[in-house]
Amino acid sequence: VTLSLTPVRGVPLIKPGDNLAQLILDALVRAGFILTDGDILVLAQKIVSKSEGRLVCLRDVIPSPRAEELALVTQKDPRFIELVLRESKEVLRTRPGTIVVEHKHGFVCANAGIDHSNVSGTDGMDGDEWFLLLPEDSDASARHLRDMIRQLTGLEVGILIIDSHGRAWRLGTVGIAIGIAGLPGLVDLRGTQDLFGYTLKVTMVAAADELAAAASLVMGQAAEGTPVVHVRGFPYPLREAELDELIRPHEMDMFR
Amino acid sequence: VTLSLTPVRGVPLIKPGDNLAQLILDALVRAGFILTDGDILVLAQKIVSKSEGRLVCLRDVIPSPRAEELALVTQKDPRFIELVLRESKEVLRTRPGTIVVEHKHGFVCANAGIDHSNVSGTDGMDGDEWFLLLPEDSDASARHLRDMIRQLTGLEVGILIIDSHGRAWRLGTVGIAIGIAGLPGLVDLRGTQDLFGYTLKVTMVAAADELAAAASLVMGQAAEGTPVVHVRGFPYPLREAELDELIRPHEMDMFR
């Protein structure tokens, strides 16, 4: 009944085109992990995006008039804002230093999840102007990794891709699910009973987000060297799921 | 380097006036845990509030005109709304079925964190109209427990009191810190370097909230029987802290 989360040391720096599943399995073997059915692997978004080549150089970006306008408000590079707009459905808030959007995948976050990326060591990609977009379809990325691992090992593992988000009313970032395969996003406890036989009416647990936060704690932020966390003891049954079940529909959103 | 979270079985149902520290230590011993310096105990808010007698019966509550008014909007019992208002600084949103407030402790949540409480088995407190308020001062409750455990065992442990909150843009609840003693709320990684020697500029990690989410996953919701989680392997140095460091100041709040 113990939930244990262990960073997987020795995953190499990931480059566009790398076979992420194979590299992770190799690192697990070298680190002495014995993967079993029902284990979950949590991956930092960065390595998934890098393996998928989601790098963009600002030199190649031509900002739209709207990007120029929001760049003034946010005091950010208009080419960066252009990237944010291309990845977003809607801009929710802009302030000096901040742009909060609804990402095209449905979740609300700063900068559309786009990070400055240090690409030193990647051939032909030197310089300070590279940025990393989120995966084109993080659920699909998670499913692909899950399928690859099944193919290479015969094992059924869950895959969770996470990012770090700020929150509306609290300081600091927390790990959050952006792509899932083979584990529940939400767990619906409505109708189950507590110790007293009192039937729960409203409890839906964001289990994938809770696991994302837990794994993020273990990954740390400064060390890009442990972007994979091995999880054993996830307390709910594994099942097929999509990130969408964690996204609050617009009509239930009171804070847009 | 493994973070492990284990529910502590056998904590009895808590009643007002119970010595929580002693009951938890007893349960730890019976369950075979060997507590050591640097371990963290995560407690569900419910058992802390119950031990502190934070139960209120609706029969004893007289709603104010403002509570009557908000009860119409939210379609809730005006006496319940009265309790919510007494625990709050400000009402942020009201909708049928929902009231979101800034709790007097500073965090934003639904219903001021007040839950219906089944008090069966508690002498003289039968009936369906009992509600449980958050601790009067959750940081003080956490410090008190930490001090009691130090006194009883000589050990330095961290104490984290958690609740489950909804989020503005995502579905499902996640565990969240409401009181801390002896562990950091925020971890400031600004100025540290990543693998490439690139200095991080903005990363503040809400470590206590990430741990709260992790522990909440292990506690489950339906089973009030595992309201205590034992944590080993928290990756950041323990230190004195207050919940306040996790609360976003009003002037930085874009979503009020």
Side-chain angles (χ1 to χ4, degrees):
Chain A
V1 295
T2 294
L3 174 69
S4 62
L5 302 110
T6 312
V8 179
R9 308 274 178 208
V11 176
L13 293 179
I14 300 299
K15 299 182 298 296
D18 277 349
N19 181 340
L20 204 48
Q22 187 65 63
L23 290 172
I24 290 172
L25 287 174
D26 291 348
L28 284 166
V29 168
R30 276 197 307 273
F33 286 88
I34 298 172
L35 209 57
T36 68
D37 281 325
D39 285 356
I40 296 171
L41 295 173
V42 185
L43 281 69
Q45 159 267 322
K46 279 183 190 179
I47 61 168
V48 179
S49 300
K50 271 193 184 165
S51 75
E52 296 177 359
R54 300 279 289 159
L55 287 155
V56 181
C57 184
L58 283 197
R59 269 170 287 152
D60 302 330
V61 178
I62 296 163
S64 63
R66 173 139 170 78
E68 296 276 9
E69 183 190 310
L70 291 175
L72 285 176
V73 182
T74 58
Q75 299 168 5
K76 288 174 182 268
D77 189 313
R79 299 168 301 171
F80 173 77
I81 296 293
E82 175 63 27
L83 288 181
V84 171
L85 292 179
R86 288 181 193 170
E87 291 285 295
S88 305
K89 275 187 200 162
E90 186 186 340
V91 177
L92 269 69
R93 296 285 189 282
T94 50
R95 298 277 189 287
T98 306
I99 179 166
V100 179
V101 302
E102 180 183 337
H103 189 277
K104 61 186 178 183
H105 294 173
F107 43 79
V108 171
C109 65
N111 300 329
I114 302 171
D115 270 330
H116 183 265
S117 182
N118 194 313
V119 289
S120 308
T122 309
D123 288 346
M125 295 177 66
D126 278 335
D128 204 30
E129 293 185 303
W130 290 89
F131 284 81
L132 189 62
L133 313 182
L134 297 190
E136 184 68 41
D137 178 345
S138 299
D139 277 344
S141 303
R143 280 195 304 273
H144 174 70
L145 281 160
R146 193 260 319 257
D147 294 346
M148 288 290 291
I149 287 172
R150 185 196 288 137
Q151 208 175 303
L152 290 163
T153 65
L155 295 171
E156 276 305 321
V157 302
I159 300 286
L160 177 61
I161 301 174
I162 72 170
D163 200 0
S164 289
H165 284 183
R167 285 93 44 89
W169 306 295
R170 293 174 80 95
L171 293 177
T173 61
V174 293
I176 203 122
I178 67 162
I180 53 180
L183 73 154
L186 277 181
V187 174
D188 188 347
L189 296 174
R190 289 176 299 182
T192 60
Q193 297 190 334
D194 71 8
L195 272 191
F196 302 98
Y198 179 72
T199 303
L200 297 176
K201 281 176 194 150
V202 291
T203 302
M204 304 265 279
V205 176
D209 283 333
E210 292 194 324
L211 184 62
S216 166
L217 192 57
V218 171
M219 278 178 194
Q221 297 290 317
E224 215 184 340
T226 55
V228 180
V229 171
H230 172 268
V231 178
R232 187 159 290 168
F234 183 74
Y236 297 110
L238 299 192
R239 64 166 169 84
E240 287 309 292
E242 294 183 349
L243 185 75
D244 226 34
E245 65 189 55
L246 282 164
I247 306 299
R248 185 179 285 276
H250 280 211
E251 66 272 19
M252 295 171 65
D253 182 348
M254 300 184 288
F255 295 98
R256 191 155 288 248
Chain B
V1 296
T2 294
L3 174 69
S4 62
L5 302 110
T6 311
V8 179
R9 308 276 178 206
V11 176
L13 292 178
I14 300 299
K15 298 183 299 297
D18 276 350
N19 181 340
L20 204 48
Q22 187 65 63
L23 291 172
I24 290 171
L25 287 174
D26 291 348
L28 284 165
V29 168
R30 277 197 307 274
F33 286 89
I34 297 171
L35 209 57
T36 68
D37 281 325
D39 285 355
I40 296 171
L41 294 172
V42 185
L43 281 69
Q45 160 266 323
K46 280 182 189 179
I47 61 168
V48 179
S49 299
K50 272 193 183 163
S51 76
E52 296 178 358
R54 299 280 290 160
L55 287 154
V56 181
C57 183
L58 283 197
R59 268 170 287 153
D60 303 330
V61 178
I62 297 164
S64 62
R66 173 138 170 82
E68 296 278 9
E69 183 190 310
L70 292 175
L72 286 176
V73 182
T74 58
Q75 299 167 4
K76 288 173 181 268
D77 188 313
R79 299 168 301 172
F80 173 76
I81 296 293
E82 175 63 25
L83 288 182
V84 171
L85 293 178
R86 287 182 194 170
E87 291 285 294
S88 304
K89 275 187 200 162
E90 186 186 341
V91 177
L92 269 68
R93 296 287 188 280
T94 51
R95 298 278 188 284
T98 306
I99 179 165
V100 179
V101 302
E102 180 184 336
H103 189 277
K104 61 187 179 182
H105 294 175
F107 44 79
V108 171
C109 64
N111 301 327
I114 302 172
D115 271 329
H116 182 266
S117 183
N118 193 313
V119 290
S120 309
T122 309
D123 290 346
M125 295 177 66
D126 278 334
D128 204 32
E129 294 185 302
W130 290 88
F131 284 80
L132 189 61
L133 313 182
L134 297 190
E136 184 68 42
D137 179 343
S138 300
D139 277 344
S141 304
R143 279 195 303 273
H144 175 68
L145 281 160
R146 193 260 320 257
D147 294 347
M148 288 291 290
I149 287 172
R150 184 195 290 137
Q151 208 175 304
L152 291 163
T153 66
L155 295 170
E156 276 305 322
V157 302
I159 299 285
L160 177 61
I161 301 173
I162 72 170
D163 199 0
S164 289
H165 284 182
R167 285 91 45 89
W169 306 294
R170 292 175 82 95
L171 293 176
T173 61
V174 293
I176 203 121
I178 69 162
I180 53 179
L183 72 155
L186 277 181
V187 174
D188 188 346
L189 296 174
R190 290 175 299 183
T192 60
Q193 295 189 336
D194 71 8
L195 273 190
F196 302 97
Y198 180 72
T199 303
L200 297 175
K201 281 178 191 149
V202 292
T203 302
M204 305 265 280
V205 176
D209 282 334
E210 293 194 324
L211 185 63
S216 167
L217 191 58
V218 171
M219 280 180 191
Q221 297 290 314
E224 215 183 341
T226 55
V228 180
V229 170
H230 172 268
V231 177
R232 188 159 290 167
F234 184 74
Y236 297 110
L238 300 190
R239 64 166 169 83
E240 288 309 294
E242 295 183 349
L243 185 75
D244 225 34
E245 66 190 54
L246 282 163
I247 306 299
R248 185 178 284 275
H250 280 212
E251 67 272 18
M252 293 170 66
D253 182 348
M254 299 184 288
F255 296 96
R256 189 155 290 250

